[in-house]
Amino acid sequence: MTFVYLGCLLVSLAAMVLLDARFRLVFWRNARRATIVLLVGLAFFLAWDAAGILLGVFARGESRLMTGVELAPELPLEEVFFLLFLCYLTLVAVFGARALMDARSRPSREVARESERAR
């Protein structure tokens, strides 16, 4: 039993938290709403995994990099952290892209206002 994959997921998750905190994108903007969205996304993907497992589409692969801990048949512990990371990454990417677009359009809006004042 090894914790390499789980450790990588936790380090990546921590990096997302730092990025979120630095730019106030998700949890530092509205923690209650972010928690709800993250938990709904996690529940959706866990239900998706459960359906895939029941239908025989998903199966747990063997790897010496994983803990070997299963939360349910064919559902490794690492899957929950991966799905949590996936949902959080999506939130940070969406709000980060929105912040970039807002920042880039701000100077052009200010220029347009200045030209309107000049007329």
Side-chain angles (χ1 to χ4, degrees):
M1 177 161 51
T2 177
F3 291 86
V4 173
Y5 181 49
L6 182 59
C8 289
L9 288 171
L10 293 174
V11 167
S12 299
L13 200 53
M16 293 304 296
V17 170
L18 291 175
L19 190 64
D20 182 13
R22 167 63 178 92
F23 294 104
R24 302 195 181 289
L25 298 171
V26 181
F27 279 97
W28 277 260
R29 181 175 293 212
N30 189 332
R32 183 175 174 264
R33 188 180 311 170
T35 301
I36 291 168
V37 171
L38 196 63
L39 291 176
V40 167
L42 182 62
F44 171 79
F45 283 116
L46 284 173
W48 182 286
D49 275 3
I53 291 167
L54 289 173
L55 293 171
V57 177
F58 298 155
R60 182 180 168 273
E62 293 299 320
S63 174
R64 58 184 176 80
L65 301 176
M66 295 174 61
T67 61
V69 175
E70 287 189 358
L71 301 175
E74 305 298 327
L75 183 66
L77 172 66
E78 291 87 354
E79 183 70 8
V80 175
F81 288 96
F82 171 73
L83 294 175
L84 184 68
F85 172 74
L86 181 69
C87 292
Y88 194 28
L89 172 65
T90 302
L91 287 171
V92 168
V94 167
F95 283 99
R98 180 184 286 175
L100 279 174
M101 289 189 296
D102 287 348
R104 287 186 178 182
S105 68
R106 205 171 293 129
S108 62
R109 281 190 232 142
E110 291 170 7
V111 170
R113 286 184 193 140
E114 289 296 321
S115 66
E116 286 294 320
R117 288 183 198 153
R119 290 183 191 178

